[in-house]
Amino acid sequence: MALGRDDVAAWLRALRVVYAENKTLLTDLDAAIGDADHGINLDRGFSALVAELDKNAPADIRGLLQTTAMTLIRHVGGAAGPLYGTFFLRAASACAGKQRLEAPDVVALFEAGLQGIVERGKAAPGEKTMVDALAPAVEAMQRSLGDGGRLGDILQAGAQAAEEGMKATIPMEARKGRASYLGPRSVGHQDPGATSAWLLVKTAAERWR
Amino acid sequence: MALGRDDVAAWLRALRVVYAENKTLLTDLDAAIGDADHGINLDRGFSALVAELDKNAPADIRGLLQTTAMTLIRHVGGAAGPLYGTFFLRAASACAGKQRLEAPDVVALFEAGLQGIVERGKAAPGEKTMVDALAPAVEAMQRSLGDGGRLGDILQAGAQAAEEGMKATIPMEARKGRASYLGPRSVGHQDPGATSAWLLVKTAAERWR
Amino acid sequence: MKKLINDPDRVVLESLAGLALAHPEILRVSFDPVYVVRADAPRPGKVGVISGGGSGHEPMHVGFVGRGMLDAACPGQVFTSPTPDQIEAATRAVDGGAGVLHIIKNYTGDIMNFEMAAELCRAQGITVRAVVINDDVAVEDSLYTAGRRGVGATVLAERLCGAAAERGWALERVEALCRRVNAAARSMGMALTPCTVPAAGRPNFQLGPDEIEMGIGIHGEPGRERTRWRPAREIVARMTETILADLPFERGDRVIAMVNGMGGTPLMELYLVYGELQPLLEARGITVARRLVGNYVTSLEMAGCSITLVKADDEMLSLWDDPVLTPGLRWGA
Amino acid sequence: MKKLINDPDRVVLESLAGLALAHPEILRVSFDPVYVVRADAPRPGKVGVISGGGSGHEPMHVGFVGRGMLDAACPGQVFTSPTPDQIEAATRAVDGGAGVLHIIKNYTGDIMNFEMAAELCRAQGITVRAVVINDDVAVEDSLYTAGRRGVGATVLAERLCGAAAERGWALERVEALCRRVNAAARSMGMALTPCTVPAAGRPNFQLGPDEIEMGIGIHGEPGRERTRWRPAREIVARMTETILADLPFERGDRVIAMVNGMGGTPLMELYLVYGELQPLLEARGITVARRLVGNYVTSLEMAGCSITLVKADDEMLSLWDDPVLTPGLRWGA
Ligand SMILES: Nc1ncnc2c1ncn2[C@@H]1O[C@H](COP(=O)(O)OP(=O)(O)O)[C@@H](O)[C@H]1O
Ligand SMILES: Nc1ncnc2c1ncn2[C@@H]1O[C@H](COP(=O)(O)OP(=O)(O)O)[C@@H](O)[C@H]1O
Ligand SMILES: [Mg+2]
Ligand SMILES: [Mg+2]
Ligand SMILES: [Mg+2]
Ligand SMILES: [Mg+2]
């Protein structure tokens, strides 16, 4: 099964619902080791995205992802704004010219997005950030793709790895972002960005079965 | 029985203890219809008075009362400072030249003090102030003196009238001082100044039996 | 009670010690008796302008000592009037031979202490005039009460009279200006939370999690009514309408407006309040010619705000623009 | 949550609307994207100085826009970095051809958003330099963390760089000054109470009735340790010693000192804190050459304070004394 423009739009709109539903969870996680705004930030960003798509929906996948990038960059702020903004900016480039996304294209989308986050945030795995959910997710997707998995399986593998990666942030000591100010006091808390990143992959897996 | 300088000093020192003990009560009464400082103000003033007497005790009754006036005026502030300050200033004048106070002299002391408060504060009876305790007290003392009462009886009558006057302030609507800002909301609360005035007379009655 | 203090009984003195260290070019502090005075006092031939009152309203009054505003301020204990000896000493310290104006907020205690001080000063040959500020529309003005409280207008009166005195006006003229400012000024305040007087150690009143007090005094004295929380827009509209109706203000009036924080309300909210106020005034044809937005007359850490409006004429506006150099208000210098 | 607001999501915008109405001679506000800019920007040939960050720290940064300080400020949502489009638009609005300096507090979000904006500006041919302020000694400075937070020194850097730009200094020289100020500055903060972000609706952390947080960040990020309340004297001594040891400061140093309120602490207490600080410094042979005591970098209505010390040289002191005319800091104008 290949994804069309509307599938991508459906994913983006689903994310808006997911982040609205998880606004308090993400904010509470951020309250423990950050400044209690991660859920609020993403909810604001994805609400703005849906408003933008309602007004002015791009006709192709690249355009959708680019609008997402620009809207998040404009409305999220904080660390998550540039990070997720860059994710979608690179994802958009990865989809340039494509009317439909086959399984390898979807993996390439996430690969490019992750790469963008890593370049923007300069975080390595193990530093208690969204990278700790996304990097294993991308690896799992690549593995599943190499194993000849179908798109649904690939994304399923990605979501599962993201969830494990997210949980693995609990014992980590933060080395990037606001949580790093806490040093050892950051241990024992799940990273909010890793959690929102897991939701990003999980929602794709649920939408793009 | 006539009072000497040491009896007057004992009264002043006893007042210090009484106002310390009633600091919270007076402050709480003031919290309800004023600014929650009446007990604090008097405690500060009479502590300063005892410190002053310890350092530098005047040799005569007038001097004692004048020192009391000046110390209260300097250390109490608020409405009570000038009012009780004026009380003792006039009381001092009333005792000028006297080595001992006979019953009529004691009544004259309170009369003069009350007159000072009335002139300074311009409050009439019924306006929910210290006048409502002091004015009936002075009247009762005059009556008892006229009836040929002994000093102890006179002061007892004064203390009882002060207590009744104090209680009578509860249903009054304040027309003077900070409580008057409350208008009808001042009804139902006992006036802090009437309460401290009752303590003033009551302590005299207890000391000068 | 958690506060940045050492000893509840020494808060005022220790704070004044810090004030003295922080602003040696502007002011000096006398500790016995306690008053704050301009570094260059007395100024021969200049009318002295003095105010005072309970502490806990900072920057008022001690933070308004300096060129173009107060010559001296007499701080009492927290929320307690200063005593006559302070006021007398301050008056003597600023008297440059042209007389001294006492600007008094209308509280029984303040008035009586200032009156006693004035008697003492006059006995020493100093000419003292007194003006009582009573701008609080939340309190009914009646012959049968102590009358309206003095609140925000005090800052504006201190500033304008300070400027006039600096220009060399005679005492009578400064006094008349002060009366004119007071007559043209109206204020109203509200609180979202109480505050804690250090010596008392607990909040001076209680408000429910959803309650506000409209018409509060600057010592937390209860106001007109206790209501449920409302949006800032409605609160500002209520306060503004009450103020405007009282004088009354009219189309074509120019005003000096002050949106004042009670201490615990963020500046962000005070600007939001100002953003509600000015359009309301404009809609009634009233022009805000000058304004202050910030913490000027506080009640310790109470959350809330007050609004003060003064009908201003050309002379007041011109005085307003004169240089002022105090810890709490400064421009042109 | 009781606040003087209408809608938690519109607090920042509505507050800026009030700011614009209150200070039309000093600044203008753009609402799409959101930034605050000097009324007379751009000034041809003058280096532009810009800062920005989450809102809720007022007067920083929007209250520091004006002559002798910031050319523009980019306010984010409360406690949330501003976005690149705001920063880019503000940079374009102040570019007078001499380049623009971005003064950035060291938070990952702030840095990334400013970086993205700088990329956008450079693509349009505007020369942009960036300096990151990281003065908070409460945070361990390590290659393995995001490093120290930027706090109080930001105000001093904005003021000094703003003065330098006003004097006509070239971009490289203003940038170098900014780095010099940052390198010579250390701060530490503490909190007595939390604060409530309007959009969150409840306090951002909890402190017991007898607890304080030493080394708190300006967004309520936890600090070095949570301890029992102590007298101000001990708190100030702890903060001062930590700061002095860090640079280290030495006998004979002159400093610009700032005692900053977190928002909910009365000015009376801030002066008391200053009264503790200066003698401590003097005892170590350090002279306070200039000082600020008041609310400059707040955390909404949090109670607490911070202390900032900057080792100052003659040039810095001379720049400090230049006129500044902003809503939040003003002298000589
Ligand atoms: N340098 C970085 N690289 C990758 N992710 C980061 C980095 N810094 C922070 N993050 C992520 O951002 C999340 C916080 O986002 P958010 O709360 O929206 O921003 P802020 O910290 O500015 O308030 C963290 O939980 C973490 O996952
Ligand atoms: N004009 C007045 N005449 C007589 N007594 C007064 C007057 N005004 C106030 N009082 C008394 O003073 C008391 C309050 O004293 P206090 O709390 O010490 O002063 P303040 O009101 O300045 O805080 C009142 O309870 C009242 O009895
Ligand atoms: Mg956050
Ligand atoms: Mg009282
Ligand atoms: Mg009082
Ligand atoms: Mg944030």
Side-chain angles (χ1 to χ4, degrees), chain A residues 28 37 73 78 175 180-181 185, chain D residues 80 83 106 113 146-147 202 223:
Chain A
D28 286 352
D37 63 358
I73 288 171
R175 301 213 172 283
S180 73
Y181 305 136
R185 282 168 82 181
Chain D
T80 298
T83 57
N106 188 31
N113 283 287
R202 63 215 148 89

Side-chain angles (χ1 to χ4, degrees), chain C residues 2-6 11 14-15 18-19 21-23 25 56 58-59 78 190 192 207-211 229 231-233 235 263-269 271-272 274-276 278-279 291 300-301 305 327 330-333, chain D residues 2-6 11 14-15 18-19 21-23 25 56 58-59 78 190 192 207-211 229 231-233 235 263-269 271-272 274-276 278-279 291 300-301 305 327 330-333:
Chain C
K2 290 185 294 185
K3 288 178 175 280
L4 286 168
I5 64 176
N6 296 308
V11 174
E14 294 183 356
S15 177
L19 183 79
L21 289 175
H23 304 289
E25 334 75 30
E58 289 69 25
V78 175
M190 59 80 56
L192 297 154
L207 276 176
D210 198 31
E211 276 183 332
W229 178 87
R233 186 162 301 135
I235 291 172
T265 280
L267 195 53
M268 194 169 72
E269 296 177 31
Y271 275 112
L272 189 150
Y274 185 75
E276 299 291 344
Q278 182 173 320
R291 78 278 292 168
L300 296 171
E301 70 282 359
C305 73
R330 182 170 182 173
W331 56 73
Chain D
K2 290 185 295 186
K3 287 177 175 284
L4 286 168
I5 64 174
N6 296 307
V11 174
E14 294 182 356
S15 176
L19 183 79
L21 290 175
H23 303 290
E25 334 74 30
E58 290 68 26
V78 174
M190 60 79 56
L192 297 154
L207 277 176
D210 197 32
E211 278 182 331
W229 177 87
R233 186 161 302 133
I235 291 173
T265 280
L267 194 53
M268 194 169 72
E269 296 176 32
Y271 275 111
L272 189 150
Y274 185 75
E276 299 291 344
Q278 182 173 319
R291 78 278 292 168
L300 297 170
E301 70 282 358
C305 72
R330 182 170 182 173
W331 56 74

Side-chain angles (χ1 to χ4, degrees), chain B residues 75-105:
Chain B
H75 293 274
V76 176
L83 290 167
Y84 282 125
T86 306
F87 178 96
F88 283 101
L89 218 49
R90 298 295 181 85
S93 303
C95 297
K98 295 183 185 159
Q99 294 304 317
R100 305 194 64 77
L101 304 181
E102 302 293 339
D105 300 320

Side-chain angles (χ1 to χ4, degrees), chain B residues 28 37 73 78 175 180-181 185, chain C residues 80 83 106 113 146-147 202 223:
Chain B
D28 286 352
D37 64 358
I73 288 171
R175 301 215 172 283
S180 74
Y181 305 138
R185 282 167 80 180
Chain C
T80 298
T83 56
N106 187 31
N113 283 287
R202 61 215 149 90

Side-chain angles (χ1 to χ4, degrees), chain C residues 6 17 28 43 58 61 73 80 99 109 122 125 142 161 169-170 172 174 215 259 270 274 300 303 307 309 320:
Chain C
N6 296 308
R28 282 182 285 119
R43 312 250 308 163
E58 289 69 25
H61 301 274
T80 298
R122 289 190 190 113
S142 149
C161 295
W169 288 21
E172 288 66 28
V174 180
V259 168
L270 298 180
Y274 185 75
L300 296 171
I307 294 174
L309 300 179
W320 184 259

Side-chain angles (χ1 to χ4, degrees), chain C residues 13 24 30 52 72 80 82 94 113 132 135 141 146 179 232 240 252 270 290 293:
Chain C
L13 293 179
S30 155
T80 298
V94 308
N113 283 287
V132 175
D135 55 317
D141 193 9
R179 291 190 197 287
T240 309
L270 298 180
R290 303 289 186 278
V293 181

